[in-house]
């Protein structure tokens, strides 16, 4: 008999990542459908002070593993800490972020707990007590519904920026319990983390992304996308062709071998729309494509298409945005 639903948060550089709140909101819906309490797990260094924030998004009780050794994600340390908590309960489901670290953690946890993982899910339903999760497969060409066999624990990682995040309710207080941290000796350690201090919006959390492809023709031409992004408060992404050409860092790459993004608005500039690129941005809410070739495959995916030379269109569009903003 299940006694809870579990939501695992991701804590980095002194704050919960937004996807933690999306995951808690989604897990809350399932907990409500099953009439169960929602337990949160928060692991990190200094995470205890922030644990109450998970309550704002529906977590009833937060179990906190707070230790200096847990400042960075080290699988050998995180997995036993999280698994030992889950093993004490009989969860109906475990939710966690499908971030880079979350995907790693969820796969290891699923193996350790001998259960099935639905990775990178974009929808979860709980129908008559049965949990089902939808996830893209074959680089986004198909969508698969996953169900678990009787007795198996559904483990579900949620793609960032897709699930609805409920509004924070600061009056909602979660109970916070610190758990003793008994860490094994790890064979690996995180020596440090290099944080991007440029103030750039992180691609996976951006509401708007302006991405450039081979059509940009040179690294310096990305300046026009940077200007547009600045006006829109957007992040700048790139296709693999632009990254392979050395015009942008790999951290900007969107796609199958880059980042999976889900902004409200994705503007693809000089990008043809190869399946591997679509795998990374196909679930964006609105897609605008700027391409001089009317036959470019990106137009089959775009909500709005502009057939034009990008070097004419982007500066003119940026100017219009600037004018609109000055009159608002
Ligand atoms: C295993 C594997 C993994 C991959 N992973 C990724 C990935 O993660 N991300 C990714 O992006 N790709 C990935 N690729 C590569 C992918 O197949 C494509 O090669 C790549 O996406 C093409 O990038 P592009 O659209 O920028 O370039 P192109 O396909 O060359 O398209 C450039 C476009 O720019 C347009 N254009 C040119 N000049 C102008 C102009 N002046 N104005 C307007 N439009 C113009 C052209 O009409 C064209 O449509 C992967 C490939 C493989 C095999």
């Amino acid at each position: 008999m299940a006694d809870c639903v579990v939501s695992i948060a991701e804590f980095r550089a002194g704050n919960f990542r937004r996807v933690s709140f999306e995951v808690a909101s989604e897990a809350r819906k399932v907990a409500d459908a099953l009439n169960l309490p929602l337990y949160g797990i928060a692991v990190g260094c200094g995470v205890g002070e922030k644990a109450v924030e998970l309550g704002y998004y529906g977590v009833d009780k937060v179990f906190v593993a707070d230790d200096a050794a847990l400042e960075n994600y080290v699988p050998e340390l995180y997995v036993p800490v999280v698994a030992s908590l889950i093993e004490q309960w009989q969860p109906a489901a475990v939710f966690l972020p499908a971030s880079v670290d979350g995907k790693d953690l969820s796969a290891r946890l699923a193996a350790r707990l001998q259960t099935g993982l639905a990775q990178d899910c974009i929808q979860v339903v709980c129908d008559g007590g049965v949990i089902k999760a939808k996830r893209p497969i074959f680089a986004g060409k198909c969508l698969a519904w996953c169900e678990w066999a009787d007795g198996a624990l559904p483990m579900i990682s949620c793609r960032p920026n897709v699930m609805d995040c409920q509004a924070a309710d600061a009056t909602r207080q979660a109970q916070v319990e610190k758990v003793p941290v008994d860490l094994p000796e790890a064979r690996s350690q995180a020596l440090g983390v290099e944080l991007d201090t440029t103030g750039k919006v992180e691609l996976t959390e951006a509401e708007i992304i302006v991405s450039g492809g081979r059509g940009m023709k040179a690294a310096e031409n990305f300046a026009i996308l940077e200007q547009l992004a600045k006006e829109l408060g957007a992040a700048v992404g790139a296709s693999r062709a632009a990254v392979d050409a050395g015009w942008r860092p790999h951290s900007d790459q969107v796609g199958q071998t880059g980042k999976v993004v889900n902004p409200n608005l994705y503007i693809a500039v000089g990008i043809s729309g190869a399946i591997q690129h679509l795998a990374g941005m196909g679930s964006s809410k609105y897609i605008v494509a700027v391409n001089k070739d009317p036959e470019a495959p990106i137009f089959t995916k775009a909500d709005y298409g502009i057939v034009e030379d990008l070097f004419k269109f982007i500066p003119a569009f940026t100017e219009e945005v600037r004018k609109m903003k000055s009159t608002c």
Side-chain angles (χ1 to χ4, degrees):
M1 189 69 178
D3 55 9
C4 63
V5 170
V6 176
S7 165
I8 302 172
E10 188 166 313
F11 189 74
R12 293 291 173 268
N15 286 299
F16 287 113
R17 294 194 63 194
R18 185 189 144 81
V19 63
S20 306
F21 304 138
E22 295 166 8
V23 167
S25 304
E26 197 63 23
R28 177 75 261 167
K29 284 188 220 157
V30 172
D32 285 343
L34 298 173
N35 207 14
L36 289 171
L38 177 59
Y39 290 174
I41 297 180
V43 181
C45 174
V47 67
E49 291 156 34
K50 298 270 182 169
V52 286
E53 288 180 10
L54 295 175
Y56 305 165
Y57 296 89
V59 175
D60 296 306
K61 187 167 181 179
V62 188
F63 293 83
V64 172
D66 196 339
D67 193 287
L70 298 169
E71 177 160 14
N72 299 310
Y73 174 67
V74 178
E76 289 166 77
L77 301 182
Y78 270 56
V79 173
V81 167
V82 175
S84 64
L85 279 168
I86 296 174
E87 278 161 352
Q88 294 171 31
W89 309 320
Q90 308 272 302
V94 174
F95 288 80
L96 65 175
S99 56
V100 173
D101 290 348
K103 282 182 181 169
D104 186 87
L105 176 66
S106 53
R108 290 168 189 270
L109 274 179
R112 173 113 170 203
L113 300 172
Q114 295 277 292
T115 193
L117 166 67
Q119 191 80 277
D120 205 18
C121 296
I122 56 171
Q123 192 183 349
V124 179
V125 294
C126 182
D127 206 358
V130 179
I131 296 170
K132 294 180 193 171
K134 187 159 83 174
R135 61 184 293 259
I137 55 171
F138 301 124
K141 274 206 154 181
C142 311
L143 294 169
W145 277 104
C146 306
E147 272 185 62
W148 285 260
D150 279 349
L153 167 63
M155 187 165 290
I156 298 164
S157 77
C158 303
R159 184 178 279 197
N161 254 354
V162 173
M163 311 284 185
D164 286 337
C165 187
Q166 69 179 56
D169 177 359
T171 62
R172 231 186 151 283
Q173 292 295 314
Q175 216 184 318
V176 176
E177 183 177 319
K178 281 205 166 192
V179 296
V181 181
D182 182 18
L183 297 174
E185 199 175 317
R187 283 165 297 176
S188 57
Q189 63 180 130
L191 296 177
V193 172
E194 282 180 30
L195 287 177
D196 186 338
T197 51
T198 55
K200 278 196 323 191
V201 186
E202 159 59 30
L203 272 183
T204 56
E205 293 181 1
E207 297 278 326
I208 305 176
I209 295 175
V210 182
S211 263
R214 204 191 316 262
M216 297 304 298
K217 303 215 167 29
E220 56 272 24
N221 293 337
F222 271 81
I224 60 172
L225 297 191
E226 299 278 4
Q227 281 155 16
L228 175 59
K230 192 170 159 220
E231 293 303 324
L232 295 172
V236 176
S239 71
R240 176 162 161 181
V243 171
D244 285 352
W247 303 339
R248 302 297 290 183
H250 182 258
S251 55
D252 284 1
Q253 186 179 318
V254 172
Q256 190 181 327
T257 43
K259 289 181 177 162
V260 176
V261 298
N262 292 282
N264 283 328
L265 175 61
Y266 188 90
I267 306 178
V269 184
I271 292 177
S272 60
I275 182 70
Q276 296 90 354
H277 189 79
L278 299 179
M281 44 62 80
S283 52
S284 304
K285 290 187 188 72
Y286 291 98
I287 298 171
V288 174
V290 183
N291 199 305
K292 66 180 183 184
D293 174 8
E295 303 298 325
I298 189 79
F299 288 126
T300 62
K301 195 78 188 168
D303 298 286
Y304 299 93
I306 293 118
V307 181
E308 182 56 278
D309 187 318
L310 71 92
F311 296 104
K312 276 193 206 155
F313 179 78
I314 295 295
F317 181 52
T318 306
E319 194 47 40
E320 283 306 311
V321 173
R322 228 176 251 143
K323 275 191 213 153
M324 274 177 68
K325 280 173 67 186
S326 65
T327 56
C328 283

